[in-house]
Amino acid sequence: MPEILDWYIQRGESDECWPWTGQSIRGYGYFEVGGRDNRRVLKATRVVVELRDGIELAVDEVVMHTCDNPPCCNPAHLVVGTQADNIADMMAKGRSYWQKRHRSVS
C-alpha cells in the first residue's frame, strides 16, 4: 500500500505542503483497496499518519491539518485528534461556514 502514496503525493521541502494528486472528495485525498467483494475507501492522510506512527487509528480519531490545506499529506502537517478537536480548531481559526458568511456580510 505505501507505493500508492509515492504515486500520488507530490513531495516538496519538509516545511511545504505535499499535495495529494489522486482522487479526492471535497479536497481530501482517498484511494480504494481490495477486490470487488471487499473494496474499501481509505483516506490518504489517515494512511500517512498510521504509517508514520506505526499504529491503527481508532474509529473516533480524525487527522487534522496544521496547515489547513485539505490535500496536504506532509506527515509534519498532520496531527491526530477527535472531531470535537477538529471543530474547536475550525472555530478558533474562523473557518466555519457561519463565521465566513458573517464576515462577508459585514
Side-chain angles (χ1 to χ4, degrees):
M1 191 173 344
E3 61 274 1
I4 197 164
L5 299 177
D6 290 332
W7 297 338
Y8 292 113
I9 295 175
Q10 184 181 329
R11 287 181 169 83
E13 298 296 322
S14 61
D15 62 335
E16 294 177 331
C17 288
W18 298 358
W20 176 261
T21 61
Q23 297 179 67
S24 65
I25 297 173
R26 292 181 307 219
Y28 295 91
Y30 77 93
F31 56 97
E32 298 177 15
V33 296
R36 192 172 92 192
D37 297 329
N38 64 344
R39 186 167 304 269
R40 293 182 357 178
V41 174
L42 301 177
K43 295 178 181 178
T45 52
R46 283 184 76 88
V47 174
V48 168
V49 167
E50 288 177 346
L51 291 171
R52 177 193 70 193
D53 297 346
I55 60 165
E56 185 174 332
L57 294 176
V59 175
D60 64 341
E61 291 180 307
V62 300
V63 176
M64 304 185 309
H65 293 85
T66 59
C67 59
D68 297 324
N69 184 12
C72 181
C73 288
N74 182 339
H77 294 187
L78 305 175
V79 296
V80 178
T82 65
Q83 187 59 22
D85 296 331
N86 203 21
I87 291 170
D89 181 60
M90 174 186 66
M91 297 299 287
K93 294 176 178 176
R95 292 185 287 107
S96 74
Y97 172 79
W98 183 85
Q99 289 168 312
K100 289 178 184 177
R101 184 170 166 81
H102 184 62
R103 273 196 307 266
S104 66
V105 172
S106 301

